[in-house]
Amino acid sequence: MLTNYIKIAWKVLLRHPFYTFITLFGISLTLTVLMVLTSFIDHIIGSHYPETNRDRSLYIEKMALRDSSRTSQNTGPMSFKFLTQYAKSLKTPEKVTITSFFRTSNAYAGSQKIKLNTKYTDAAFWEVMNFTFLEGKPYNDQNIRNGELVAVITDDFRRQYFSDLSEPVVGKDIEVESVHYKVIGVVKGSPPTRFFSYADIYFPYTVPKSNYEQDDIMGGYVAVILAKKASDRKAIQDEFQDKIRRIPLPGNRNGFKYAMLEVGCAPYLESVLSIFMEGGPQVKVIFYSVIAFLMLMLMGLPAINLVNVNVSRIMERSSEIGIRKAFGAPIRTLLMQFIVENIFITFIGGSIALLLTLITIYFINNSGWIAYADLTINLNVFLVSIGVCLIFGLLSGVAPALRMSKLSIVEALKS
Amino acid sequence: MITLTNIEKVYRTSTIETLALNNINLHIGQGEFASIMGPSGCGKSTLLNIIGLLDAPSKGGISVGGQPVTSYSDQELARLRNQRLGFIFQSFHLINDLSVLDNVEIPLLYRKQISGTQRRQMAQEALERVGLSNRVKHFPKQLSGGQKQRVAIARAIVGRPEIILADEPTGNLDSVMGNEILSILQGLNTDGATIVMVTHDEAMAKKTHRLIRLFDGTMVGDTTLTLC
């Protein structure tokens, strides 16, 4: 029966090439936008280079200190000391890294000023993140303990800073903010959309200006906890919160008396969203709801347009509808037929959209619009795209199919 | 087999009410070959549609095989049409996008117990019966009027229904083709099918067993014919 439906859908497409072109153009354009959007969301929240362990990681990126009446609060990253005491000491994780968010800085290659972003990290950073080393190696605990002025740079910074790219740069000297560092390794850079790994230069936290010795609970550091397996994350969160609960309250920070200390230890998406919005684990629900709403809006308008096109196309086939009903097709079967046909057409549009999406993301990845952009059509994106095609097919197919299935047999045969 | 009791059909618009059928009482027995005749607009096709459960009467009752069907749901009526009735139309109503074989298979698509292979085989047999087994891969547009009507007959008989309803099956054909179609119908009737045919052609009607005459929605004659 399915073959019969698909045969008809194909023939109907061939019957009016211009109509078909308009329909497929609308479908593929809409689906391309949605697929690129899906790919972009996946680029932002998926597990990609060098943060390939996101699915078994937890992030501590923000602390909130509030007074008893909840009228004032201090919010921001934590100090190195705080994270060492409460995160680094956790027993359940495989690894914990403490790293600063990226900070802007300047370097000079000859007379040319290079604006760059730097990050101070511990040695575990290179184990929690999966950077590809193009040259050299990461700094280790020994380099850090010795306070060595070493740096790991990205290939992009190497290209900007060193004029002669034919020679290895490991062992060479770079000057950043009037401090000289020895290049110890070169990595393939991370896109700026991956806050926890992105920088142009990585320094050990013991180098000057890192403020790692700051005697405060807040500061400029965050932590990434790598669990042995994803299912350990709940136990890690419990262990961390247990430690946090033991912090004596109320406290005083530079004259601000706080009665509440909140610090989250959450999976990536929840953690990043909490930077922009309050709401705990619910923020993820809000985020997905907003995305779903946006996608529905993006799909809804072209779908309404397609509904009109489909209604006139289906009504052309009233004789067929009459015949099928006369020979015993139940309304539900006819509804299914027209929905299947519409989904088939949507999937043709989806295949064109997939091709257009590949071209679009190729241009985005090579445009330099997002440094190190690596938008892809991976399995997740592909599955979401299939889902989007199905929803679009249903949205634009159900209404015309319903209208058609209610047509009386005699009327259908007369026309 | 099919009994119509006090059937009335009224078409209503916001301004006008038209009585298409008035107090029709009719019984079609098993194995009959009945024809319905009358001038244009007298309600022949409306009556055939009601007999074929394609349209509902405004008043009155219908029973098929002694079972009243007036209160049947759409789904039950669809099942009944699929199992027991076959239709032939003046304008063939073949689906141009499907091959001859696919067109003939249509009634069987809605019978869950029939597999794809069985479907194909039954459709082939029905086409053989009407002498079109060499045209299975053709499309309706590649056929003559007579061939199209033969495909329509094959579609009507493929599910081996007990009753075949034909609405002016020869109306769009020349006399040679018309006679050919009629002889196929006669053959089906000889094999046991009950046939009700609407026609304008007196000569065709006289080749059936029974002639029902309508005038302005009222049955004005019901004659049993003796075949020469």
Side-chain angles (χ1 to χ4, degrees), chain B residues 94 100 103-104 132 143 147-155:
Chain B
L94 298 177
V100 163
N103 264 289
V104 175
L132 278 180
L143 304 176
Q147 287 171 327
K148 282 180 189 173
Q149 197 56 296
R150 281 195 277 161
V151 175
I153 294 173
R155 180 179 61 191

Side-chain angles (χ1 to χ4, degrees), chain A residues 1 4 7-8 11-12 15 319-320 323-334 337 409-410 413, chain B residues 49 54-55 74-75 78 81-82 86-87 89 93 95 97-98 102 106-107 109-110 119-120 139 155-156:
Chain A
M1 193 172 320
N4 195 287
K7 261 187 207 168
I8 290 208
K11 291 283 172 55
V12 170
R15 211 188 285 161
S319 156
E320 177 193 336
I323 278 299
R324 286 186 185 273
K325 278 188 161 184
F327 281 101
I331 289 178
R332 206 185 303 158
T333 311
L334 279 175
Q337 175 188 344
I409 303 175
V410 174
L413 289 173
Chain B
N49 289 338
L54 300 178
D55 204 357
D74 279 348
Q75 199 162 343
R81 283 195 302 269
N82 182 256
F87 300 92
F89 302 96
H93 283 306
I95 300 171
D97 295 319
L98 293 179
D102 287 337
I106 285 175
L109 291 176
Y110 307 113
R119 214 161 57 213
R120 258 154 222 263
F139 284 86
R155 180 179 61 191

Side-chain angles (χ1 to χ4, degrees), chain B residues 6-124:
Chain B
N6 301 327
I7 292 293
E8 201 175 290
K9 180 70 182 176
V10 182
Y11 290 108
R12 289 187 180 89
T13 65
S14 54
T15 50
I16 199 163
E17 204 170 81
T18 312
L19 185 64
L21 290 177
N22 182 24
N23 196 30
I24 303 284
N25 287 289
L26 181 65
H27 174 78
I28 308 284
Q30 190 164 0
E32 269 195 79
F33 189 169
S35 52
I36 303 172
M37 277 198 73
S40 292
C42 71
K44 302 184 295 291
S45 294
T46 306
L47 179 60
L48 195 77
N49 289 338
I50 288 173
I51 295 172
L53 310 174
L54 300 178
D55 204 357
S58 308
K59 262 187 201 166
I62 311 167
S63 60
V64 178
Q67 189 75 30
V69 298
T70 324
S71 58
Y72 272 26
S73 67
D74 279 348
Q75 199 162 343
E76 286 168 321
L77 288 174
R79 197 177 308 128
L80 195 60
R81 283 195 302 269
N82 182 256
Q83 302 285 338
R84 304 184 73 169
L85 303 173
F87 300 92
I88 302 163
F89 302 96
Q90 181 181 4
S91 48
F92 326 122
H93 283 306
L94 298 177
I95 300 171
N96 287 329
D97 295 319
L98 293 179
S99 70
V100 163
L101 193 69
D102 287 337
N103 264 289
V104 175
E105 276 184 24
I106 285 175
L108 305 179
L109 291 176
Y110 307 113
R111 292 189 189 176
K112 285 179 189 159
Q113 68 277 20
I114 296 179
S115 70
T117 322
Q118 279 176 298
R119 214 161 57 213
R120 258 154 222 263
Q121 198 185 334
M122 288 169 80
Q124 292 268 17

Side-chain angles (χ1 to χ4, degrees), chain A residues 248-269:
Chain A
L249 290 171
N252 191 324
R253 179 181 181 254
N254 305 328
F256 174 66
K257 287 178 185 166
Y258 57 90
M260 283 169 262
L261 185 153
E262 290 164 12
V263 52
C265 168
Y268 183 77
L269 179 61

Side-chain angles (χ1 to χ4, degrees), chain A residues 292-366:
Chain A
F293 177 74
L294 273 176
M295 283 193 152
L296 264 178
M297 281 288 104
L298 277 171
M299 272 191 279
L301 295 175
I304 290 169
N305 228 341
L306 198 58
V307 164
N308 288 325
V309 176
N310 281 345
V311 165
S312 50
R313 287 183 88 147
I314 282 181
M315 289 308 161
E316 264 182 19
R317 294 166 61 189
S318 55
S319 156
E320 177 193 336
I321 294 156
I323 278 299
R324 286 186 185 273
K325 278 188 161 184
F327 281 101
I331 289 178
R332 206 185 303 158
T333 311
L334 279 175
L335 265 175
M336 195 51 76
Q337 175 188 344
F338 284 93
I339 290 170
V340 166
E341 281 184 23
N342 205 55
I343 289 174
F344 169 72
I345 295 166
T346 310
F347 270 88
I348 295 180
S351 310
I352 300 170
L354 203 62
L355 198 70
L356 291 175
T357 305
L358 282 171
I359 296 170
T360 310
I361 63 178
Y362 171 81
F363 280 110
I364 293 177
N365 287 344
N366 290 288

